[in-house]
Every structure is written in structure tokens, then in C-alpha cells.
Amino acid sequence: NATRRQRQMCIRDRNHCFQVQPGQSLLKALAEKGLLIRSDCGGQGLCGKCLVQIEALEPNRLAPPDASERDSLGPQLLKAGYRLACRIDVESPLTVRLPQAASLHYPGRPPAPTRQKKTSFNATSPLPPPVQSGVAVDLGTTTIGLYLCDLEARQVVASAFLRNPQAIYGADVMSRIGAACIFKTRQKLQNMVIQAIETGTLSLCQALNLAPHKVVQMVIVGNPTMIHLLVGEDPTSIGRYPFEPAFVDARQIAPGNLGFDVLGSTAVHTLPFASGFVGSDVIAAALATEMEKQPAGTVLVDIGTNGEILLAGTDGFWATSCATGPAFEGAMIHHGMEAVDGAIQGLKIDPRNHAVALAIVHSAASAPPKPAGICGSGVVSAVAELLRANILLPDGRFNHKAASPHLKTDTALGSAFELASPEKSFSGRSILLTQKDIRAIQLAKGALKAGIDLLCCQAGLDRPQQILMAGAFGNHIDPQDAIAIGMFPKVSEKGPTAIGNAAGDGAVLALLDPQFRRQAEQ
């Protein structure tokens, strides 16, 4: 009734109290206030990642858990008050505790380092506030990397990386394109990323005691969909044949025209891109790695939610994009998570007693937390180890003749490998790597390998001569694990080389020297 519609409900967490209209999804209500929770499926109740803990509410005013919540959480977490934010419609005042994954800033594994030799990165000692500053932004589908630079000293003085808040509309590019079909949602997607970039920049300024009005330049790179959404263009043509973007040229946006509140005096530049799925992040990475000077057969691979590949041929460059999907980010893996505290990032199996040793992401100096799930690099490590231990067959099926006590054949999810037992996990439930998870990784790595093979075929090369892995994921996987699962062809004894955040490097170069913007155009 009208009275009910006019009434507003209060949501509290330990640091915030705010009101929402009754009936609004808790996931969307939190996101509108900048409290971001991972939702790989775009709020469809499929991924089980938007976890919150209900600490207080009016009696009997919360709908009981539905089937998706019961399947994702299990009785122990439900009894402790955990729910999925996307399945809760706010009908009465309630208090929620947000997990670590709700933070805009990552507190876990550090970002991929920038390695551009022309500049000095990540200074450890305090520097005097620069007279004029700029920010280089690597706008990813999942994460946003920010590099605050002194334009006079030509160096990076601080860096940070944030979660892309658009992720509540889905973990992959196609989900964002689908959401952007609605004009009001497209406006929300633009506002979300503008606010995130501004929030991150202001936090860096505050750390250096720098006045925000001294940030006068910004260079932003990213895949074409992210750049379209950033500047307010409709990206839907990218999502349908012939997959053409609305524009490919570099953009120069005058101060005040992008929608920043505090950074209204900042001029924004974007770099050009090549097609609907080969973006300015790849162009920036090519600048940073001086691809035009690399020998023929050099492959640059930026592995993320979308896999982009650039090959130096004998007479030019070849590039493609492959649908790796979000599996390498830990998304759509049953117990997958981002590389934050509690994520399994690697494991080893003792061939003598089958014992499993886990490497856990933890940012504090104290002992590692109990494992809560597994991130992308952990999945690659796990699959490689299972192959070496003959627990996985070469075709990706579990080997039911293997002697490992961790191989379970009768779970509710079918055959699975137990990474952590209930008593050793954060949730009190087994952390499993399922047969479906293995298939997701096979699809992702198969797409990447097929992209590399296709480019070599088009360029008339038998195989790559060297492989450069860019991006956060590429920086943290073991090259030998990647080769073991068939992600890359073997190019040398040491295998692929991790080169850090090359897209961020290129954005920094384009910020510090306009000549690199012209080179990007060429």
C-alpha cells in the first residue's frame, strides 16, 4: 500500500547506517552506498559469492533462504546468520556485517607490479607533494589500477588498486553489455566507475597530503566495453555481430565533462583501441614492452576476465581476443574467490603420503587465516598438481583409481578433490575442486591456447618464440603450472615470463609523455 511504499528501511553495518526503499535488493542497496560485494552472476543467485551476515533484524521480517542459498551456504553458515545479499529484499530494518570481500580496496595479495624502467615506481619513503600530478588508470573488468604520478619528476609516487564496482552486474564483459542495454543502468554503470576512480584517487592524494586540484591530467586504458561505459557510450554493438564498437579513436575529455565531483579540473585522455575486443589496455601494454622492437614470434598475453593476445609477426602485428571467461579470476568456480585474505593461491601434493600443503593469501604478519576458497592462480596450481599426481587424467576426468584420500566420488556436486576439510576451513564445510570447475579451466585455457595458435597460423609461424604474461593473474601463476595444464605452448626451459601490469606501465608512459599517446595512435 501507499504507506508501505513511502516508508524507508534502515540498514546498518559496523560503520554505516542508511535508508533504502522497502523491497529493494540488499545487494543493490549496498552497492548504491559504495559498499561493494562480489556478485559474479550479476545478482541471479547462481554464484553464491555475495555473502553477508545478518546480525539483527525485526523478528520474522526476513524471507527464509531459498534453494540457491541452501545449496550455496549449507546449514552451518545459515545457522550463523549468513545469507546471499542478492536473495534478500529489504522489508524491515536490519543490521548486517559485510565480509572482507565487500571492501572497495583489496586488502589481500598486492597488485601486479609495474616494471617500466623509464620511471621509478612504488617509492617506499615519503616524497614531498608534487607540484603537478596526474593519474594513470588501468580500468579492468574486475579491478581498477591507479598510479599517482609526479608530472615534473616523471615518476610514480603512489599506487592502489580497487574492485570495479560494476561487477554487481556480472563478472564478464558480456554481462555488462547486457546490463547497458537499459539507458538508466548504463548511466549507473558510468557513475559507478567514475566514483570508484575518484574515490581511489582521493585516497592516494590524502595519503600524500596532496590537494586534489593538483591532479590535472589522467590517462585511462581498458578494454573497449569498459572505455565505452566510462565515457557514456552505448557498448551494445560490441555484443552482437559484427561486434563493432561505437568508436576506436583516442578521446580527450575536457575538465568537468566526465562527471567527477572533486576532480573537476582534471583533463582525461583515453588511448585508442583496435576492435571491439582488442582494447587500449593491449595498446598500452605494447608501448610498455616496446613490442615493435621485440623479435618476430613474441607473444604478449594479458590474462584477465577477457584474454587479449598480441603477436609480433615478421611484417606487423596480429591481435585477437579469446573468451577465457572469469574462471581465471576465481569466478564461476564453485568455491572460487578473488585473491584476498583466505584464498588458496597454490598447493603441493606430497607423492609419498598424498598430503596436501596449501599456500593461503594473507596480508597481515600473523598466521594465515583458514582457507575460505580458491583464487584463479590457485586453481591453475591445483589442476597442475592433480595432473602430476595422476589424480586427474589427461582428458580432465578424475582418476577414480588414484589412491588419494582427498578424492571424493560421492559429494553432492559429484566427483571432487577436497582442498580443505570442514574442520580446517573458514565456513566449516569442505572446500572442493569439482569436475565442473576442471571443465571451466579447460575451456578457459583452451581458448587462450587456441588464440595463440590461431595468431601463429595467420602470421605464418610454427610456434611462439617467447611469451610475455601481463596482468595480475599472469604475474602470480607459476609458468610451469601453466605449461603443465596446456595453457601455453612450451617456448623455452624457463617458460613464459611474467612482466607485471604492462597495461598500467603503458598508461603511466602515456601520462608522463604525450609522445607515447601519439605512438599509441600509430
Side-chain angles (χ1 to χ4, degrees):
N1 56 38
T3 303
R4 178 182 179 277
R5 285 196 299 270
Q6 292 170 0
R7 195 159 46 93
Q8 289 186 317
M9 303 305 173
C10 181
I11 297 177
R12 296 177 180 270
D13 75 357
R14 294 178 178 177
N15 299 304
H16 306 81
C17 180
F18 56 89
Q19 294 181 323
V20 301
Q21 292 295 331
Q24 186 177 14
S25 158
L26 177 59
L27 177 69
K28 298 292 176 65
L30 292 171
E32 287 180 0
K33 301 299 180 181
L35 302 172
L36 305 173
I37 300 176
R38 185 172 184 178
S39 178
D40 297 342
C41 64
Q44 302 301 309
L46 302 175
C47 67
K49 304 293 171 60
C50 56
L51 196 66
V52 298
Q53 187 175 23
I54 307 299
E55 292 193 337
L57 71 159
E58 291 182 356
N60 303 318
R61 295 303 301 272
L62 200 62
D66 61 13
S68 62
E69 288 186 282
R70 293 193 298 270
D71 291 344
S72 297
L73 303 179
Q76 187 165 333
L77 286 180
L78 288 172
K79 185 177 180 181
Y82 285 95
R83 297 289 299 270
L84 298 182
C86 71
R87 312 314 291 168
I88 295 175
D89 292 331
V90 182
E91 299 289 356
S92 62
L94 72 160
T95 302
V96 300
R97 185 178 69 84
L98 304 183
Q100 176 182 306
S103 172
L104 183 65
H105 293 265
Y106 281 105
R109 196 164 66 184
T114 47
R115 301 188 178 192
Q116 182 51 245
K117 296 178 181 179
K118 295 185 178 69
T119 54
S120 173
F121 289 93
N122 296 324
T124 56
S125 58
L127 295 173
V131 176
Q132 277 200 325
S133 299
V135 178
V137 182
D138 177 14
L139 176 56
T141 310
T142 303
T143 59
I144 303 172
L146 301 170
Y147 302 91
L148 181 64
C149 301
D150 182 330
L151 299 181
E152 294 189 14
R154 295 170 58 83
Q155 65 181 9
V156 173
V157 294
S159 61
F161 74 139
L162 322 172
R163 177 172 290 109
N164 189 327
Q166 298 170 340
I168 66 166
Y169 288 96
D172 59 277
V173 166
M174 297 306 292
S175 296
R176 309 284 172 85
I177 292 175
C181 290
I182 302 171
F183 176 71
K184 287 187 176 180
T185 304
R186 188 160 71 244
Q187 287 182 311
K188 285 184 179 180
L189 289 165
Q190 182 186 26
N191 292 336
M192 279 180 166
V193 76
I194 293 296
Q195 291 174 12
I197 291 172
E198 184 165 62
T199 298
T201 300
L202 293 178
S203 69
L204 291 175
C205 289
Q206 185 178 17
L208 289 178
N209 196 26
L210 174 70
H213 72 266
K214 291 186 176 180
V215 179
V216 296
Q217 296 282 339
M218 185 178 291
V219 170
I220 304 177
V221 302
N223 69 56
T225 298
M226 293 301 102
I227 299 300
H228 276 59
L229 293 173
L230 170 80
V231 302
E233 290 276 3
D234 185 355
T236 52
S237 63
I238 299 175
R240 59 175 182 263
Y241 183 83
F243 314 110
E244 294 288 345
F247 69 97
V248 296
D249 55 305
R251 291 286 178 95
Q252 181 172 340
I253 304 167
N257 286 356
L258 200 56
F260 288 125
D261 292 328
V262 180
L263 301 176
S265 59
T266 304
V268 177
H269 305 267
T270 66
L271 297 190
F273 36 88
S275 71
F277 287 93
V278 178
S280 57
D281 48 356
V282 176
I283 302 297
L287 292 178
T289 54
E290 299 182 308
M291 279 293 285
E292 72 278 7
K293 298 180 181 178
Q294 299 289 346
T298 298
V299 174
L300 172 63
V301 184
D302 194 339
I303 313 168
T305 310
N306 194 46
E308 294 169 305
I309 309 168
L310 181 68
L311 168 68
T314 55
D315 56 356
F317 294 114
W318 297 82
T320 192
S321 169
C322 50
T324 53
F328 289 145
E329 304 281 355
M332 307 315 290
I333 300 297
H334 186 71
H335 284 129
M337 62 184 293
E338 291 166 336
V340 297
D341 285 2
I344 298 170
Q345 63 177 335
L347 76 157
K348 293 294 182 183
I349 299 174
D350 191 321
R352 297 166 298 179
N353 57 14
H354 307 289
V356 176
L358 301 177
I360 309 295
V361 177
H362 64 108
S363 54
S366 57
K370 286 187 174 183
I374 185 167
C375 64
S377 60
V379 175
V380 172
S381 173
V383 173
E385 275 295 281
L386 293 174
L387 280 168
R388 295 181 185 115
N390 199 34
I391 297 171
L392 266 187
L393 298 172
D395 64 2
R397 291 178 298 145
F398 283 111
N399 180 8
H400 296 299
K401 296 180 180 179
S404 173
H406 302 281
L407 180 58
K408 312 294 181 182
T409 59
D410 56 353
T411 75
L413 301 169
S415 297
F417 186 83
E418 187 179 61
L419 301 167
S421 61
E423 59 272 14
K424 293 182 179 180
S425 76
F426 163 77
S427 65
R429 302 177 73 192
S430 292
I431 297 178
L432 303 173
L433 189 68
T434 70
Q435 184 68 74
K436 186 177 179 181
D437 296 337
I438 302 295
R439 295 305 187 203
I441 289 296
Q442 284 181 285
L443 285 171
K445 70 93 182 179
L448 197 65
K449 176 69 161 47
I452 295 172
D453 289 347
L454 172 66
L455 291 189
C456 287
C457 179
Q458 292 290 321
L461 300 173
D462 293 332
R463 62 183 181 88
Q465 297 303 307
Q466 64 172 336
I467 296 175
L468 308 176
M469 296 187 301
F473 176 78
N475 192 67
H476 287 102
I477 61 172
D478 185 318
Q480 296 307 315
D481 287 342
I483 290 174
I485 71 170
M487 185 184 298
F488 300 120
K490 189 172 182 180
V491 293
S492 66
E493 288 302 318
K494 66 176 183 177
T497 302
I499 58 171
N501 186 7
D505 279 344
V508 168
L509 291 176
L511 175 71
L512 297 179
D513 191 342
Q515 127 184 2
F516 286 101
R517 295 177 214 160
R518 294 189 290 271
Q519 188 175 344
E521 293 278 4
Q522 293 167 2

